[in-house]
Amino acid sequence: MLIGIVIAVLVAYTSSKVLGKQIIPRLEKKGFTQPLKEEVKEKVYTERNGDAE
């Protein structure tokens, strides 16, 4: 049983690592990435200040 769990974890880790290396660059190329937290914070801050005036 323990060997089966270890093998399942290794297969899951390896497959996610391999697929991640293929999918993430494709998503970045197509523009499906989230903005950085600092960019979001800066945008929200400027919008709130613009509305207050």
Side-chain angles (χ1 to χ4, degrees):
M1 175 106 172
L2 181 63
I3 295 173
I5 293 172
V6 170
I7 291 173
V9 168
L10 289 175
V11 168
Y13 175 78
T14 305
S15 63
S16 66
K17 189 86 166 168
V18 170
L19 289 176
K21 284 185 178 182
Q22 293 174 356
I23 293 173
I24 291 173
R26 185 178 297 158
L27 292 176
E28 288 176 347
K29 188 184 287 184
K30 298 210 182 239
F32 287 112
T33 57
Q34 293 182 344
L36 299 174
K37 287 183 179 182
E38 293 299 321
E39 293 174 359
V40 173
K41 189 187 315 181
E42 187 176 307
K43 182 178 178 182
V44 169
Y45 181 72
T46 55
E47 286 178 358
R48 284 186 183 170
N49 283 343
D51 291 343
E53 291 178 0

